[in-house]
Amino acid sequence: MPPEADALITAWTDSYFNRTKQIVARFGDTRVTYAVFLRRPVVSAPRLMLDWLRAVGAARGAEFQIDLMHEEGQWVGAGDPLLYITGSLVALSDLETLLLQKLGAACVAAHNAYQMCLELPNVGFLAMEARHCAGAEMQEMMAYAAAVGSRAAQAEGAKGFIGNANDATAHWFGQKSGYGTMPHALIGYAGSTVRAAEMFHETYATEPLTVLVDYFGREVTDGLAVARRFPELAAEGRLAMRLDTHGGRFLEGLDPAESYAVLERHAPGAIRRYRSETELRHLVGTGVSAAAVWSMREKLDAAGFPKVRIVASSGFGVGKCRVMAEAKAPIDVVGTGSFIPDAWSETYATADIVDYDGTPRVKVGREFLLRHEERRKKNGGG
């Protein structure tokens, strides 16, 4: 059954919308206009919702007029309608729940991705949200959102997202397939980090090699061992070390004192002003900190591997990206799914009818939508 089928819509929408549809059908249909908005700033990411809405209209033989106030990728202020939808109340009344589901989270995730890319404009990002999504529909939505936010940041000069980690949603990033080499499970299977790298290279000899180096807690030792095993790849820039150090310990060779010392050598300004506890953890704490990235870079360069790249993952949301930028951390690629909204309540989109058959009317407290509606009509809207 296609997602725009009436039976599915009836089953998944809120019951009061189904009942409203029946009541309006009994007492007489009317033409209405909905204003759709979010209560926080976002980046417009409406395509999945619009595709679904148009498919529903086609299936129902109903014509919906859609006035998109902010094109895909544009910044939208809190409370500013993203779009207006006009059509039959009978045809539209039971769609509100589902269309809002397909809009709000995508817009917030796009805004997060946009901010992350702008914080680290010279770093490529890899979307790794799939494992954190609640099913395929959310996975598609989050990948789409990351791509929209990325393109908005690229328009301002950022490198943005270069791809993602699975095939199904790679098209959003202009790729045919997902990127990725090995999970921790392959290293456990191989018994050593070097052997896992050998297995991968024997199987995929023409592909670049990115190696997880934290499995045995010997990021530096194992990373250098892999680089020495594959000197050609290292010299060609086709070898990368992925830092994914657990938040419960320091990268090999680091402790609090040495972490401060590393940043003092490379980015002293980053640690000489007030920092929140979270910012300090990102700078000199356990896990993948700025000090950890700088320490790995130091060790690779000292061993004669300046072209070996560093991929960093683990909790790279907007805040962590900002701290890494301030520390000038030498990251080549960030792998992250942290554009997925943290506070799901911020993703709730809202729709209010602002016009009933030509008469402006909205509930008390939402009069600002009427002002938007009046401006929209003056500008040639429906």
Side-chain angles (χ1 to χ4, degrees), residues 287-324:
V288 184
S289 65
V293 177
W294 270 117
S295 181
M296 193 71 189
R297 185 74 269 161
E298 281 185 342
K299 301 300 191 296
L300 288 168
D301 290 353
F305 301 111
K307 292 188 177 180
V308 171
R309 305 196 306 155
I310 294 178
V311 177
S313 56
S314 187
F316 275 77
V318 176
K320 188 166 185 176
C321 288
R322 181 177 301 120
V323 170
M324 290 291 175

Side-chain angles (χ1 to χ4, degrees), residues 219-221 223-224 228 241 243 251-254 257-268 289-310 327-332:
E219 291 88 350
V220 175
T221 301
L224 293 179
R228 294 183 180 112
M241 305 298 162
L243 301 183
L251 179 128
E252 179 187 14
L254 291 184
E258 181 57 25
S259 295
Y260 274 98
V262 169
L263 286 192
E264 188 68 32
R265 291 194 291 273
H266 296 284
S289 65
V293 177
W294 270 117
S295 181
M296 193 71 189
R297 185 74 269 161
E298 281 185 342
K299 301 300 191 296
L300 288 168
D301 290 353
F305 301 111
K307 292 188 177 180
V308 171
R309 305 196 306 155
I310 294 178
K328 300 180 176 61
I331 302 170
D332 295 287

Side-chain angles (χ1 to χ4, degrees), residues 103-138:
L103 181 68
C107 291
V108 175
H111 191 260
N112 290 343
Y114 166 75
Q115 290 181 292
M116 289 158 59
C117 293
L118 286 186
E119 294 293 348
L120 290 170
N122 299 317
V123 175
F125 283 78
L126 185 68
M128 300 178 68
E129 81 295 336
R131 71 186 63 192
H132 306 302
C133 289
E137 185 176 8
M138 181 181 177

